[in-house]
């Protein structure tokens, strides 16, 4: 509070006259003016009141300005003379909010960990969770991760453009120290290239980081891990590590207020028209080029996809037999195949289907059968004005973040390929109460589709088989599949983080 010192308002007779705009003219002159001026006591009282009012008003203005910078404070809720009167009524019931931060964890810092993520949004999201857990276990300070800007999407977004960086730091302060950048002396070393950099070994147990990585951190003071996808094992980790991975994923990694607000606006627009499905139709150019899946593409498109695959040296597989890969269930379903499957599952043809994807390869030609079967297809671009998405253009990770939010809230989530987004959204929906997620068995489906198309299956037989196949593939509680020595074939931790799910824990404790 501002305190006014009353002693500062005791003025001399000369000063009183100066404040009233009258020069000091001597006793004889003042005597002549006494009759035409207000008495001295009343004059003093008026000056004190005026000055006090000015000072108090200045304090209010300054404190209100500080409130705008520091968040909710008592004075921030005061009505402004520049706002409508009804604001005062709305603020009467406002209660000042206090953000309670977790206490800082005190530990001996063994060094600093820099992280460069690779891949798309959800691949990087999982990597961030892993790296925070590793930093906590090694008692090191982690620098806010650097996001991939060199992948196919060439998204220039920084961490703080997608995630609420301040929330990320403060929400984890009781577990690990997170800094936005290295301390000045070490930052200078890093800028000069004096940093030890390496990719960690994939699917490693935490003991690898304790025995191999920690000594490097202690030796070099700064360690840069330059590739972080799938670097921590799915299974065999301490329960504290698994729960911390969940905490980072489901609590600390919150999108920026701008992304959250726009995502919730899309959800509100969809909810106005009833229930909706999110279809993660992973039939985009990069996926088809990477996987070599060309079902339904013409010769020109196949040639274009092949050129693209050869243009990216880190896509190691170059010569691909599309037909064999599809029969093994390793291709995303085409839009035409997806339409058949949704119809076979008796999905209401009038339901809203939100397409969570980038540009579908082949455009309207490939989407025609799906749009014919389900005319209420919508996308963020059709629900929002171009001005709403102006700042998200050419930022694929920010656009993917919008789709992620809508996917979490959908009545049903259907991914046509088990990529990173499908897996992470599946796990997040399990965490939110096992929301319905239809996990398509692509290997079986393409066989059924081919048999239906060549006439060896009737529609009723086809539909019954599709339903029977997916009865137990709706995102219900289930234990994660563990395959020793074959981590790539195991169930992914982030698609089924069973250590963090109440129903899974209850069922496992009963069985034991």
């Amino acid at each position: 509070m501002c305190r006014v010192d009353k002693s500062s308002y005791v003025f001399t007779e000369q000063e009183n006259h100066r404040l009233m705009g009258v020069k000091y003219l001597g006793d004889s002159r003042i005597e002549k003016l006494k009759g035409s001026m207000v008495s001295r006591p009343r004059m003093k009282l008026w000056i004190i009141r005026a000055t006090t009012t000015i000072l108090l008003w200045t304090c209010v203005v300054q404190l209100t300005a500080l409130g705008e910078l520091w968040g909710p404070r008592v004075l921030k809720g005061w009505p402004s003379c520049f706002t409508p009167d009804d604001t005062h009524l709305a603020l009467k019931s406002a209660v000042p909010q206090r953000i309670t931060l977790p206490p800082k964890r005190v530990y001996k810092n063994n060094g600093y960990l820099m992280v460069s993520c690779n891949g798309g949004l959800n691949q990087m999201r999982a990597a961030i969770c892993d790296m925070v857990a590793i930093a906590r276990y090694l008692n090191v300070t982690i620098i806010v991760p650097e996001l991939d800007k060199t992948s196919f999407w060439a998204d220039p977004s920084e961490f703080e453009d997608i995630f609420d960086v301040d929330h990320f730091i403060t929400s984890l302060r009781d577990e690990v120290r997170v800094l936005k950048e290295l301390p000045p002396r070490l930052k200078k070393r890093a800028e000069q290239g004096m940093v030890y950099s390496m990719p960690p070994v994939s699917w490693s147990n935490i003991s690898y980081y304790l025995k191999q990585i920690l000594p490097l951190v202690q030796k070099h003071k700064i360690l840069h891990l330059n590739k972080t996808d799938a670097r921590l094992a799915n299974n065999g980790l301490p329960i504290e590590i698994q729960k911390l991975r969940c905490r980072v994923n489901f609590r600390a990694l919150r999108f920026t207020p701008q992304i959250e607000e726009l995502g919730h606006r899309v959800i509100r627009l969809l909810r106005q028209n009833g229930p909706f499905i999110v279809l993660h139709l992973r039939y985009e150019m990069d996926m088809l080029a990477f996987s070599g899946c060309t079902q339904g593409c013409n010769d020109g498109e196949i040639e274009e996809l092949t050129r693209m695959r050869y243009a990216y040296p880190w896509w190691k597989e170059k010569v691909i037999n599309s037909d064999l890969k599809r029969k093994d269930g390793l291709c995303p379903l085409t839009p035409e195949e997806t339409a058949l499957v949704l119809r076979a599952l008796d999905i209401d043809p009038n339901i809203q289907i939100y397409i969570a994807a980038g540009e579908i390869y082949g455009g309207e030609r490939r989407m025609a059968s799906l749009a014919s079967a389900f005319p209420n297809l919508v996308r963020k671009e059709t629900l929002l004005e171009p001005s709403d998405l102006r700042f998200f253009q050419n930022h694929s990770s920010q656009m993917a973040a919008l789709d992620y939010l809508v996917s979490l809230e959908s009545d049903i989530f259907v991914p046509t390929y088990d990529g990173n987004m499908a897996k992470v959204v599946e796990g997040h929906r399990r965490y939110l109460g096992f929301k319905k997620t239809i996990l398509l068995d692509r290997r079986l489906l393409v066989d059924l589709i081919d048999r239906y198309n060549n006439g060896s299956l009737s529609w009723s037989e086809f539909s019954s088989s599709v339903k029977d196949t997916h009865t137990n593939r709706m995102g219900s509680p289930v234990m994660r599949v563990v395959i020793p020595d074959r981590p790539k074939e195991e169930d992914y931790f982030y698609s089924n983080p069973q250590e963090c799910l109440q129903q899974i824990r209850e069922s496992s404790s009963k069985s034991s």
Side-chain angles (χ1 to χ4, degrees):
M1 295 292 292
C2 292
R3 186 173 61 189
V4 180
D5 189 352
K6 291 186 178 179
S7 62
S8 64
Y9 300 114
V10 179
F11 299 94
T12 63
E13 182 178 6
Q14 180 176 354
E15 287 169 335
N16 280 330
H17 286 290
R18 284 176 179 168
L19 286 169
M20 292 299 296
V22 180
K23 293 182 180 180
Y24 187 74
L25 301 176
D27 291 343
S28 59
R29 186 75 177 269
I30 291 174
E31 287 296 326
K32 293 179 183 179
L33 295 172
K34 276 183 180 180
S36 60
M37 294 180 65
V38 183
S39 64
R40 287 173 57 191
R42 291 183 62 188
M43 181 65 66
K44 279 186 177 182
L45 183 61
W46 185 89
I47 293 171
I48 290 171
R49 286 176 177 174
T51 310
T52 302
T53 301
I54 292 170
L55 287 174
L56 287 174
W57 178 249
T58 302
C59 289
V60 170
V61 171
Q62 289 177 343
L63 286 173
T64 304
L66 288 174
E68 292 296 328
L69 292 174
W70 294 347
R73 294 291 188 273
V74 174
L75 286 175
K76 193 174 179 181
W78 288 16
S80 166
C81 58
F82 301 107
T83 57
D85 292 337
D86 58 354
T87 305
H88 176 66
L89 297 175
L91 291 170
K92 271 188 176 180
S93 59
V95 178
Q97 296 180 354
R98 287 187 178 183
I99 301 174
T100 304
L101 298 178
K104 283 186 178 180
R105 176 171 168 262
V106 179
Y107 60 94
K108 179 185 176 182
N109 182 32
N110 286 320
Y112 296 84
L113 183 65
M114 297 175 65
V115 172
S116 292
C117 300
N118 57 296
L121 174 66
N122 293 285
Q123 185 172 319
M124 293 191 291
R125 183 186 185 106
I128 292 166
C129 300
D130 287 353
M131 293 299 112
V132 169
I134 290 164
R136 164 64 176 83
Y137 191 82
L138 301 183
N139 285 334
V140 300
T141 296
I142 186 170
I143 308 304
V144 169
E146 178 188 24
L147 302 188
D148 192 345
K149 301 177 184 63
T150 62
S151 66
F152 165 81
W153 301 277
D155 187 341
S157 298
E158 302 289 352
F159 185 99
E160 59 270 23
D161 296 324
I162 299 172
F163 300 108
D164 186 334
V165 65
D166 293 322
H167 173 76
F168 177 74
I169 293 171
T170 57
S171 65
L172 293 169
R173 70 202 298 262
D174 60 332
E175 291 283 3
V176 64
R177 188 179 179 212
V178 184
L179 298 179
K180 292 184 179 179
E181 58 183 20
L182 289 164
R185 181 175 59 84
L186 296 178
K187 183 181 178 183
K188 188 174 182 180
R189 275 181 53 187
E191 290 172 346
Q192 294 172 348
M194 299 169 61
V195 175
Y196 188 81
S197 184
M198 62 172 286
V201 177
S202 299
W203 308 113
S204 295
N205 195 289
I206 200 69
S207 61
Y208 161 79
Y209 289 93
L210 182 63
K211 296 176 182 178
Q212 302 292 326
I213 300 299
L214 180 57
L216 291 173
V217 178
Q218 293 171 324
K219 177 182 178 181
H220 299 283
K221 199 62 178 177
I222 312 170
L223 180 65
H224 176 218
L225 299 183
N226 57 24
K227 192 174 182 182
T228 55
D229 65 313
R231 302 295 143 162
L232 190 57
N234 291 311
N235 303 294
L237 301 176
I239 187 68
E240 295 79 13
I241 296 295
Q242 301 292 55
K243 288 187 174 181
L244 181 54
R245 294 166 97 180
C246 291
R247 179 177 171 183
V248 180
N249 192 22
F250 304 132
R251 292 187 178 180
L253 284 177
R254 187 167 69 189
F255 294 124
T256 64
Q258 294 84 356
I259 293 174
E260 293 270 346
E261 190 279 329
L262 199 56
H264 293 148
R265 195 193 310 174
V266 172
I267 294 164
R268 287 195 300 271
L269 290 170
L270 288 164
R271 285 279 176 233
Q272 289 174 4
N273 297 314
F276 67 95
I277 292 174
V278 166
L279 178 63
H280 183 44
L281 190 61
R282 193 68 169 95
Y283 203 77
E284 299 137 316
M285 186 177 184
D286 67 297
M287 171 50 65
L288 300 182
F290 171 76
S291 65
C293 298
T294 56
Q295 177 75 12
C297 295
N298 58 40
D299 291 342
E301 290 170 337
I302 293 173
E303 184 179 345
E304 180 181 41
L305 294 172
T306 303
R307 283 199 307 269
M308 182 179 180
R309 185 163 66 253
Y310 276 89
Y312 287 86
W314 52 90
W315 291 354
K316 296 179 181 179
E317 193 176 13
K318 301 301 182 184
V319 180
I320 299 173
N321 186 316
S322 177
D323 291 334
L324 288 178
K325 199 162 189 178
R326 175 176 173 269
K327 288 184 182 297
D328 286 336
L330 300 176
C331 289
L333 292 185
T334 68
E336 298 88 352
E337 292 169 340
T338 303
L340 281 175
V341 171
L342 294 181
R343 285 178 54 210
L345 290 169
D346 288 339
I347 299 295
D348 183 353
N350 295 313
I351 197 170
Q352 298 173 100
I353 297 183
Y354 177 92
I355 304 296
E359 184 178 353
I360 302 302
Y361 192 64
E364 293 184 5
R365 175 178 67 85
R366 298 306 302 271
M367 290 293 288
S369 59
L370 184 60
S372 175
F374 299 92
N376 288 330
L377 297 180
V378 294
R379 307 171 61 99
K380 50 188 171 292
E381 292 85 356
T382 60
L383 291 169
L384 298 170
E385 297 295 329
S387 58
D388 295 324
L389 294 170
R390 184 171 67 252
F391 296 109
F392 295 85
Q393 297 298 330
N394 302 318
H395 294 82
S396 60
S397 290
Q398 295 182 47
M399 297 286 260
L402 289 176
D403 286 341
Y404 186 96
L405 288 171
V406 181
S407 299
L408 290 185
E409 293 299 320
S410 62
D411 296 279
I412 304 174
F413 176 63
V414 185
T416 60
Y417 185 75
D418 57 350
N420 288 291
M421 177 167 172
K423 291 175 179 176
V424 178
V425 170
E426 176 193 345
H428 205 150
R429 286 172 67 85
R430 288 178 182 272
Y431 180 80
L432 294 173
F434 299 95
K435 292 186 171 184
K436 191 172 185 178
T437 302
I438 302 178
L439 305 171
L440 300 176
D441 186 336
R442 296 188 305 280
R443 183 172 183 174
L444 184 69
L445 283 173
V446 296
D447 178 62
L448 292 173
I449 289 168
D450 289 345
R451 288 164 61 192
Y452 169 71
N453 285 335
N454 67 26
S456 61
L457 276 182
S458 67
W459 175 256
S460 61
E461 291 171 327
F462 172 71
S463 180
S464 296
S465 298
V466 171
K467 290 172 189 171
D468 291 343
T469 299
H470 295 89
T471 300
N472 297 317
R473 298 177 63 90
M474 298 288 180
S476 55
V478 64
M479 297 299 291
R480 198 165 58 238
V481 174
V482 179
I483 306 176
D485 301 323
R486 288 190 289 169
K488 290 184 179 181
E489 299 175 34
E490 293 181 323
D491 283 350
Y492 189 42
F493 172 81
Y494 291 102
S495 66
N496 186 11
Q498 62 189 39
E499 294 86 345
C500 312
L501 309 178
Q502 183 66 32
Q503 288 176 266
I504 289 287
R505 292 201 301 272
E506 289 174 353
S507 61
S508 61
S509 62
K510 288 177 183 178
S511 60
S512 60

